[in-house]
Structure formats: structure tokens, C-alpha cells
Amino acid sequence: MLRCVTFLAPVFFPTYQAIVAYLARRVGQPIELEVGTSFDAFAAGAADLGFVCGLDYVRLTACQPESVELLAAPVAVAMRYCARPVYFSDVVVRQDSRFTRFADLRGATWVYNEQVSYSGYVAVARALSLQGETCAYFGRCLASGSHERSLQMVLDGMADATALDSHVLDLLLVARPELSQQIRIIASIGPATSPPVIAASRLDRGLKEALREALLSMHTEREHARILQESCLHCFAPVTDSSYDEIRSVYVQQEQ
């Protein structure tokens, strides 16, 4: 049995379950999906496949260069993505908020999911640094633990603004249509390359190629194309290590 772990937003867990079931059928092996707890699992042999943030991939390959390989990354359906495997960090406020642009947020209460999140924290910190600012730009910063919790804190008035993974926001707007009347996007940071699907390097080369081909052709099968569409995704696309160079440069600067 292959073991697959996800380190991404819980709202996508049903999507990953469907993808894993499809991959299991295509490669003829059962695959178990669970929520990941440690990236050491790939090198230790406790995880074979993973859905991870681009920043997680960069960190993992920096610490354990030979541990994982890229399989593919998702392409979302919305026109803003231009049929590319990219996403944005969308800065969101309540519909009735007085804030209309990122520059208005000086002194505001900001909520982020976690400091290891590229879209929720690192991309924002990077945008501030390019303006000669730090997170002290905000009056107060709160950690929520997840994108969904950050959004709820904004809706409840506990925070003024947050930054959400745009793929997550796309899916939340489908699942909860009323959100479109409750929030506004006042800025978008990016794009950055989409969170990839990775495989442990120790897996058989033929198996890795079969998994990659299955992902890249998933949208060509009607039933599985429907699953992707329901998750606001169009298909999976090839990515290479250099696809994550921009995120890598931000990571390197962050570590200095």
C-alpha cells in the first residue's frame, strides 16, 4: 500500500480523497490518505506521496535534497490563472470594511493561518519587505491555525483582514455562495506556482512515471474531470524544480 499525506487546507481533503482513489485505480495499488504531521516521513519511508505547499517543497528539498520529486501541480479554472499552475495570495476584508486597498491596512488587526504558510504569511511579509516594512506595519497580528479560521475571524470582526490561498477561496465561494456578499478582495499578491503533488524519490521510477501520467491525464476522463471541476480545478500540469525558484528566493531571504 502507498501512503499519501496532505499538508494543505482541510477544505480540499475530499478532493484529495477522490484524486487518491483515481490514482490507486490507475496504478493498480491501494493508496491511503491521511493528514501529514512531519515532512521527515518522506525520508523515513512513512510517506510515499504528498500534497504540499510550494514553500514546504522548497524547505524539504533544501534540508533533504534527494528525498522527493515533483509529479504535477493543479491548474485552477478561473480566467485569472491563464491556464497555468499558479495561485495568488488574496487579501480579504469584510464587505462593509472601510479598507479598500492594502495600503489602508497600516495599524489594522491582521490574522494569518500560520507562519509556515506561503500564501497566508510569507508572501505578505515579502510584499511588506519590498516596501521597506515589516509585519509591525499592522497594529496587531493574530495566528488562527487555518485559512478557514482566518476568514471566520474576519467575518466575526475579530480581525480586519487576512490573506487566503486563492484556490482555497475559490472553493469556499462555491461551497458557501453567501461569502461573495460578505467579503471583498482588496489586493492579490502573486502569482506563485501552485502547491505540487510530490513523490518520495525512493519509489520505483516506473511507478512515479505512472503516477505523473495519471495526474496529467486525469481531466481527460469525464468522471474525473467532473471531480476536478467541482473543486474549481481544470487539470494538472507539469512542473519542474525551477518552477519554484521564486518561492525559493523568498525562502532563502527569510532564512538569512
Side-chain angles (χ1 to χ4, degrees):
M1 174 181 289
L2 296 175
R3 291 149 296 185
C4 182
V5 293
T6 172
F7 292 88
L8 300 179
V11 69
F12 268 110
F13 194 83
T15 302
Y16 299 147
Q17 285 180 310
I19 292 171
V20 162
Y22 161 77
L23 291 175
R25 179 179 65 80
R26 283 288 301 267
V27 302
Q29 289 195 43
I31 305 176
E32 181 180 62
L33 176 67
E34 60 185 47
V35 175
T37 57
S38 171
F39 289 102
D40 292 336
F42 292 98
D48 303 303
L49 304 171
F51 297 95
V52 302
C53 173
L55 183 59
D56 292 333
Y57 166 73
V58 166
R59 284 195 177 108
L60 184 56
T61 53
C63 298
Q64 303 171 17
E66 305 298 324
S67 61
V68 298
E69 297 177 21
L70 294 164
L71 293 181
V75 177
V77 297
M79 291 183 63
R80 69 188 295 200
Y81 303 110
C82 301
R84 296 183 297 155
V86 298
Y87 75 125
F88 296 85
S89 179
D90 285 338
V91 179
V92 172
V93 299
R94 289 184 304 281
Q95 185 67 248
D96 61 357
S97 172
R98 62 185 175 85
F99 303 115
T100 60
R101 54 182 185 152
F102 190 83
D104 296 336
L105 295 175
R106 183 182 294 276
T109 298
W110 177 267
V111 61
Y112 60 90
N113 54 341
E114 51 188 351
Q115 289 190 1
V116 295
S117 168
Y118 187 77
S119 58
Y121 186 89
V122 176
V124 176
R126 171 61 171 164
L128 286 170
S129 71
L130 292 175
Q131 300 174 32
E133 302 282 359
T134 68
C135 287
Y137 179 85
F138 304 116
R140 188 163 61 134
C141 290
L142 307 173
S144 71
S146 72
H147 279 305
E148 290 174 85
R149 177 59 181 157
S150 292
L151 177 58
Q152 194 59 51
M153 288 176 69
V154 170
L155 290 171
D156 291 343
M158 299 171 63
D160 296 310
T162 189
L164 303 177
D165 174 325
S166 63
H167 289 181
V168 171
L169 183 55
D170 289 345
L171 190 53
L172 287 174
L173 286 168
V174 170
R176 299 166 56 186
E178 70 278 6
L179 284 175
S180 64
Q181 303 301 314
Q182 298 172 342
I183 61 174
R184 283 185 289 113
I185 298 173
I186 62 169
S188 291
I189 302 168
T193 305
S194 297
V197 184
I198 61 173
S201 298
R202 57 183 160 71
L203 294 181
D204 175 78
R205 181 181 298 275
L207 175 58
K208 287 182 289 190
E209 286 303 317
L211 289 163
R212 181 178 290 110
E213 175 55 32
L215 286 169
L216 296 179
S217 62
M218 184 175 180
H219 66 289
T220 65
E221 298 187 22
R222 180 177 299 178
E223 176 62 21
H224 298 99
R226 180 186 62 79
I227 291 170
L228 291 173
Q229 290 283 332
E230 289 176 352
S231 300
C232 302
L233 302 177
H234 171 59
C235 65
F236 282 92
V239 285
T240 64
D241 184 70
S242 63
S243 302
Y244 295 90
D245 279 351
E246 183 174 352
I247 293 177
R248 182 174 288 109
S249 69
V250 174
Y251 167 71
V252 170
Q253 291 174 16
Q254 184 186 48
E255 292 298 296
Q256 290 177 346

